[in-house]
Amino acid sequence: MGLAFSLVLEEKMALGLAAPPRVRVPVESLGEQELVEHAIKERTERAQDEKMALSSSEPTRLWTDYTITSRVSGKTYRLALRGWQRGESYCSCPDFRTNTLGTCKHILHALRKLERRFPASVRRRPYRRTAISVHLRYGEQIELRMGLPDDLPASARKLVAPMRDRPIDDLRLLLRTVQKLETIGTEVTIYPDAEEYVQRRLLQRRIERTVGQIRENPSRHPLRTRLLKVELLPYQLDGIAFAAGAGRAILADDMGLGKTIQGIGTSELLARHAGVRKVLVICPVSLKTQWKNEITRFSDRDCQLVIGSAKERAEQYDNECFFTICNPEQILRDLGPIERTNWDLIILDEGQRIKNWEAKTTRAIKGLRSLLALVLSGTPLENNLGELYSVVGFIDDRRLGPAFRFFNRHRVADERGKVLGYKNLAELRRHLQPVLLRRTRESVMKDLPPRTTEIVRITPTEEQLDVHGTNMQIIRAIMRKEYMSEMDLLRMRKALLVCRMVANSTFLVDKQEPSYSSKLQELDGLLARLGAEEGRKIVLFSEWTTMLDLIGPSLERHGLGYVRLDGSVPQKARQPLVQRFCDDPACRVFVTTNAGSTGLNLQVADTVINVDLPWNPAVLEQRIARAHRMGQRRPVHVFVLVTEGTIEENLLGTLSAKQELALAALDANSETDTVDLSVGIEELKARLEVLLGARPDAPLDASEKARQQERVQALVERKRVARAGGQLVSAAFGFLSEMFPPAQETEESRQLAGLIRGRLEDCVERDAQGVYHLNVTLPDPKALDDLSRSLGRLLAHPEGGGAT
């Protein structure tokens, strides 16, 4: 059955069970009109194909409010249908808010159904507004508008005259007008999205004066010492003011610069000046206890940690605490009680975890509603701009525009849609500047100790190279295929994993003793040297728990006390491990997998050893930032162990492009406007070629190829003829030698033979294979003896002409 299943996956196209992947229309190369037409066509197709249930608030009326439920997602949205043209109707779905098209698949689906349901006479009647409403118009820009009926009384008409048929910018005038209209008995409907928009604008105006004063001179502002229970660094107070002033923002400081304390400070500032009373913190499970500890340490606010069974967790969200802390996995399971709670502020720590916008957890988190939001992430962009787009969408889903416009504007693709790089990054930085703040270590380096990085290159054993080479052959064979099947991808992932593991030790692959590992030997020596230095504390990372098992005996052999943290360590037991490492002088090493690469404060350590390289440079930086961070008072020494001749060594060369893209998109001072990069299956193949140690193919010069092939063929022919000729000449002179019996060999002939051999040796060359060449190729050294001896006899014999 397994073989049959494998065959089906491998040969599904040949068996007629699947077609080759449909060629994607490269939206990156479309013009504005084509781009819009393509986007509408996609939504029209989905409107026709997807099953949806439509329900009317007034079944006898065409132009009224509806609800529509998608059978695919299970989500229900509100529709306000007002006409057949784009821009006349409204849908509460995320796509309508962001796509700038004035329509979406839900509106198109509803109009298609209603076209069959109502007669032409009804369909021709335009929508007539019967009451005043305050709503948002979603076009290229969001506009706050007031919808007005035609038959308004004179008193109401006079009040709304300044806002008729124009965007509303004066919010105070709007609120006074609404209040006066209600006083004279004229009802006004304010739609939920418009109400949220107005509230956010008013809040920003309330706090903008305080924020402006802080950012003007954060080093001397009194809130540096009064906002929290500890003194803030100037750049930290500036980050707090930025986040509070933006309302919905991303703090993208480098790891170790204090994003957690800035998140707590932002909450406190908004509580004092914007009435915030309910904050939801979403962080990785490994950081929940640390968040609680730091809230207690830095502020006087109370805190609820969400743990326990589903019933217990549901009750914990409904609390009176200022902070409530949960992890992303709980969002999916507890979505109901979370959505029923009115959150003033949502803080998303390690925000890069929502980089995949198609993941269920990402969709659930981005669906949460709050007036204010803050994302904390040292790496909002790890691999490509799509990840940054997803993270930014959580705090402002219109900031970067709809996806089809964003990628059209910033991606460079060929005619087949293959992404070659990114462009217009200066424009991207301008769009991000109001909502994203990033400070690098370099910008605050005066507050940080120096850091040195040493790459330790290690020669692998033959056993490691054998396993590595076998799996590299599998990868190369799969890469030569035109299309990759699911089974191909599974096999390739496994082979890549094996290559990475065997760079550490063969034991990680086969679990068989002996363990062949030159890296373990090198690490043993390194630990011996570092352990001999008094007071040195080490954080040691490896991606594999089995590798940590192999390292343990080495630590014990050198008398280095250690604690170990990996995914199997319960949440409650993690903080005591950190505390022991920090407080116990005998505990010299903190051994951990990537479970300890985020959130932990280990600045008591002055050494970081990376036993292996992660795929992503951001993870490497996260590891190092556990020690090289604010509060560190000593220089930090970083070791990166790399096994030569393996995928690990080539991995060093694949990290720079990601770093370049991250800096170009996030650094406000960057001057980079374009970055060459590839994505998708072609990008996968290209990066794998780099990992395999290959260089990209150059354009083919057909004429030069033909010339070189001719030269090679001529050389081969010449060698073949020379080899045959050499054998022939050798045989001939051997025959001549036999014609002269040994008795006829004289002293004179022997002397002549020696003289001839000496002269011939000056003309003979021996190549790398030990073959002798004299215009013709001699089969072996004996042929030279036969040749010289025969010539000597021939020349010395009277009939041969003597020495002449």
Side-chain angles (χ1 to χ4, degrees):
M1 289 177 65
L3 288 171
F5 182 61
S6 173
L7 177 64
V8 168
L9 289 179
E10 286 274 11
E11 307 295 341
K12 60 183 181 180
M13 283 187 286
L15 294 171
L17 300 176
R22 188 170 58 182
V23 178
R24 183 178 71 88
V25 177
V27 298
E28 295 80 6
S29 59
L30 297 180
E32 175 62 22
Q33 186 60 34
E34 295 172 311
L35 190 66
V36 172
E37 290 175 357
H38 177 71
I40 293 175
K41 180 182 177 182
E42 281 189 332
R43 285 157 179 79
T44 302
E45 290 174 353
R46 292 202 293 268
Q48 294 171 351
D49 297 341
E50 293 183 19
K51 293 182 179 180
M52 305 181 201
L54 184 67
S55 177
S56 174
S57 61
E58 299 174 280
T60 60
R61 295 184 59 188
L62 171 59
W63 306 126
T64 186
D65 290 350
Y66 296 80
T67 59
I68 189 165
T69 302
S70 170
R71 303 295 190 194
V72 176
S73 66
K75 294 285 188 180
T76 298
Y77 302 104
R78 182 177 63 83
L79 297 180
L81 298 186
R82 302 293 184 257
W84 300 104
Q85 301 303 313
R86 288 194 292 121
E88 294 181 325
S89 299
Y90 165 83
C91 179
S92 63
C93 75
D95 181 56
F96 181 83
R97 289 199 308 271
T98 61
N99 66 31
T100 69
L101 297 172
T103 189
C104 66
K105 65 180 181 180
H106 305 109
I107 292 175
L108 293 169
H109 180 92
L111 291 176
R112 186 164 171 264
K113 278 187 175 179
L114 296 172
E115 190 173 14
R116 298 194 299 266
R117 187 178 301 176
F118 288 91
S121 58
V122 175
R123 298 200 303 268
R124 283 195 295 266
R125 295 176 197 161
Y127 166 72
R128 295 192 179 277
R129 195 178 299 276
T130 58
I132 299 175
S133 67
V134 178
H135 63 275
L136 293 178
R137 177 180 291 182
Y138 295 90
E140 288 292 327
Q141 302 294 328
I142 286 184
E143 294 179 351
L144 185 64
R145 292 266 184 166
M146 183 173 277
L148 304 172
D150 294 331
D151 55 348
L152 271 177
S155 56
R157 224 176 11 252
K158 182 179 179 182
L159 287 172
V160 301
M163 288 170 280
R164 181 184 288 275
D165 299 328
R166 68 186 65 179
I168 301 171
D169 294 320
D170 191 338
L171 298 182
R172 293 185 179 181
L173 174 62
L174 171 65
L175 295 178
R176 287 198 302 268
T177 302
V178 170
Q179 188 176 20
K180 290 178 182 179
L181 287 169
E182 292 178 343
T183 301
I184 64 174
T186 304
E187 184 180 350
V188 179
T189 300
I190 302 179
Y191 286 102
D193 55 339
E195 183 178 3
E196 182 180 318
Y197 176 85
V198 171
Q199 286 180 346
R200 189 176 300 143
R201 290 271 303 273
L202 290 174
L203 184 147
Q204 287 179 296
R205 290 187 180 182
R206 283 172 58 186
I207 202 172
E208 64 183 357
R209 182 178 178 183
T210 301
V211 167
Q213 290 173 345
I214 293 173
R215 302 204 71 193
E216 186 177 345
N217 193 349
S219 61
R220 296 191 176 183
H221 199 279
L223 284 181
R224 268 194 67 197
T225 56
R226 298 177 188 172
L227 185 63
L228 299 176
K229 294 194 298 187
V230 296
E231 182 177 332
L232 292 162
L233 293 168
Y235 80 87
Q236 292 174 334
L237 181 59
D238 182 65
I240 290 168
F242 171 84
R248 300 179 71 86
I250 300 174
L251 281 179
D253 291 345
D254 272 351
M255 282 75 73
L257 298 186
K259 291 187 291 295
T260 303
I261 194 173
Q262 291 180 73
I264 297 169
T266 301
S267 305
E268 183 64 33
L269 186 63
L270 289 171
R272 297 185 187 184
H273 295 275
V276 166
R277 293 291 176 267
K278 196 77 174 158
V279 180
L280 177 66
V281 177
I282 307 172
C283 67
V285 65
S286 60
L287 304 183
K288 289 169 69 175
T289 301
Q290 181 172 315
W291 261 94
K292 184 176 182 179
N293 292 341
E294 298 205 357
I295 288 170
T296 303
R297 177 186 172 194
F298 298 139
S299 77
D300 293 318
R301 301 290 178 177
D302 49 3
C303 176
Q304 170 68 57
L305 200 64
V306 178
I307 55 175
S309 64
K311 183 179 179 181
E312 292 170 332
R313 295 197 307 270
E315 295 171 352
Q316 291 165 6
Y317 293 106
D318 186 17
N319 63 69
E320 299 300 323
C321 292
F322 186 83
F323 287 102
T324 300
I325 304 174
C326 69
N327 50 279
E329 295 76 16
Q330 291 173 333
I331 300 296
L332 270 178
R333 298 195 292 265
D334 305 339
L335 193 56
I338 292 175
E339 288 184 328
R340 287 193 292 270
T341 305
N342 294 320
W343 306 103
D344 299 315
L345 168 65
I346 295 179
I347 298 178
L348 178 62
D349 193 13
E350 300 298 336
Q352 70 275 10
R353 298 195 175 211
I354 62 166
K355 64 185 181 182
N356 180 5
W357 60 38
E358 295 182 342
K360 289 183 178 180
T361 303
T362 298
R363 291 180 178 178
I365 291 174
K366 294 172 77 169
L368 298 178
R369 307 305 301 168
S370 65
L371 191 62
L372 305 165
L374 175 61
V375 172
L376 305 175
S377 175
T379 54
L381 187 155
E382 293 184 328
N383 300 293
N384 58 68
L385 284 184
E387 297 172 354
L388 178 65
Y389 181 85
S390 180
V391 175
V392 173
F394 173 68
I395 57 112
D396 186 347
D397 54 9
R398 288 181 58 90
R399 170 62 52 178
L400 299 179
F404 66 88
R405 288 189 189 279
F406 176 78
F407 292 120
N408 175 269
R409 188 175 293 126
H410 295 295
R411 281 202 306 211
V412 179
D414 62 15
E415 65 280 359
R416 295 178 298 170
K418 174 186 174 183
V419 178
L420 305 175
Y422 297 102
K423 61 183 179 180
N424 300 326
L425 298 179
E427 177 187 342
L428 175 59
R429 291 191 295 272
R430 286 195 300 272
H431 282 297
L432 291 175
Q433 193 169 11
V435 298
L436 187 146
L437 180 65
R438 175 175 175 81
R439 277 78 57 89
T440 63
R441 278 193 178 81
E442 287 74 17
S443 65
V444 294
M445 190 55 74
K446 61 182 182 297
D447 299 316
L448 287 173
R451 160 184 155 183
T452 57
T453 300
E454 181 177 342
I455 296 176
V456 181
R457 297 181 181 273
I458 302 164
T459 303
T461 67
E462 289 297 325
E463 292 80 4
Q464 287 175 280
L465 286 177
D466 286 345
V467 177
H468 188 275
T470 300
N471 284 274
M472 277 297 189
Q473 289 178 0
I474 295 173
I475 297 169
R476 291 188 179 98
I478 294 172
M479 286 176 58
R480 285 194 291 267
K481 290 190 172 185
E482 185 176 1
Y483 300 111
M484 288 190 188
S485 67
E486 290 89 341
M487 187 62 70
D488 290 330
L489 288 172
L490 287 172
R491 290 172 58 217
M492 186 165 64
R493 286 170 184 161
K494 180 183 176 183
L496 285 168
L497 181 64
V498 169
C499 287
R500 293 182 66 208
M501 290 193 298
V502 81
N504 277 355
S505 168
T506 57
F507 188 81
L508 270 66
V509 179
D510 57 21
K511 301 296 188 292
Q512 298 292 320
E513 292 287 0
S515 168
Y516 296 101
S517 173
S518 52
K519 183 176 285 188
L520 280 172
Q521 297 173 7
E522 182 69 30
L523 178 62
D524 186 77
L526 178 62
L527 289 172
R529 295 193 301 273
L530 296 176
E533 299 178 18
E534 186 177 351
R536 187 179 285 273
K537 289 247 185 181
I538 303 167
V539 183
L540 185 149
F541 285 97
S542 176
E543 292 211 15
W544 290 280
T545 56
T546 303
M547 192 64 179
L548 298 185
D549 295 337
L550 298 176
I551 293 170
S554 179
L555 295 170
E556 294 168 359
R557 185 164 52 253
H558 297 298
L560 295 173
Y562 68 96
V563 292
R564 170 171 167 168
L565 188 154
D566 56 47
S568 66
V569 177
Q571 172 64 27
K572 292 181 179 180
R574 296 186 177 192
Q575 194 59 33
L577 293 179
V578 175
Q579 208 62 43
R580 181 186 165 194
F581 177 68
C582 294
D583 298 341
D584 185 359
C587 186
R588 304 282 302 281
V589 185
F590 191 93
V591 178
T592 180
T593 60
N594 285 337
S597 66
T598 57
L600 298 181
N601 295 327
L602 302 173
Q603 58 264 47
V604 68
D606 58 2
T607 304
V608 179
I609 299 177
N610 295 281
V611 175
D612 38 58
L613 276 172
W615 280 120
N616 199 299
V619 175
L620 187 63
E621 283 301 311
Q622 287 171 347
R623 291 175 173 183
I624 297 168
R626 297 315 99 213
H628 190 242
R629 58 194 298 112
M630 297 306 301
Q632 177 61 264
R633 292 179 171 82
R634 295 181 293 172
V636 176
H637 200 161
V638 179
F639 293 92
V640 181
L641 276 55
V642 177
T643 303
E644 293 181 318
T646 70
I647 195 172
E648 201 169 53
E649 184 177 38
N650 295 328
L651 191 58
L652 285 172
T654 68
L655 306 182
S656 59
K658 296 179 183 180
Q659 293 279 32
E660 180 187 2
L661 177 60
L663 290 175
L666 302 178
D667 185 0
N669 297 318
S670 173
E671 297 181 358
T672 302
D673 195 52
T674 60
V675 171
D676 292 329
L677 197 64
S678 299
V679 295
I681 290 295
E682 293 299 324
E683 178 258 348
L684 173 63
K685 290 182 177 181
R687 287 196 180 181
L688 284 173
E689 286 173 356
V690 175
L691 292 177
L692 296 174
R695 295 184 177 180
D697 293 339
L700 179 65
D701 186 336
S703 59
E704 180 65 18
K705 179 180 178 182
R707 283 195 298 272
Q708 295 299 337
Q709 286 177 337
E710 289 177 3
R711 291 175 184 174
V712 169
Q713 189 60 37
L715 182 61
V716 170
E717 183 68 18
R718 189 159 54 247
K719 287 182 177 180
R720 187 182 64 79
V721 172
R723 191 175 298 111
Q727 292 173 345
L728 177 64
V729 170
S730 177
F733 279 109
F735 173 73
L736 287 174
S737 178
E738 294 300 321
M739 291 178 61
F740 300 98
Q744 292 182 328
E745 190 172 35
T746 66
E747 181 63 27
E748 182 184 8
S749 71
R750 281 194 295 271
Q751 290 178 354
L752 281 170
L755 177 64
I756 293 170
R757 179 181 173 84
R759 294 290 179 88
L760 288 175
E761 281 182 338
D762 292 337
C763 302
V764 171
E765 293 183 357
R766 184 178 179 181
D767 63 20
Q769 285 72 42
V771 179
Y772 288 82
H773 296 273
L774 176 66
N775 292 332
V776 296
T777 304
L778 300 179
D780 50 44
K782 183 175 180 297
L784 186 61
D785 292 328
D786 293 341
L787 175 62
S788 56
R789 189 166 56 251
S790 299
L791 284 174
R793 291 177 184 173
L794 184 63
L795 293 174
H797 198 272
E799 282 82 359
T804 59

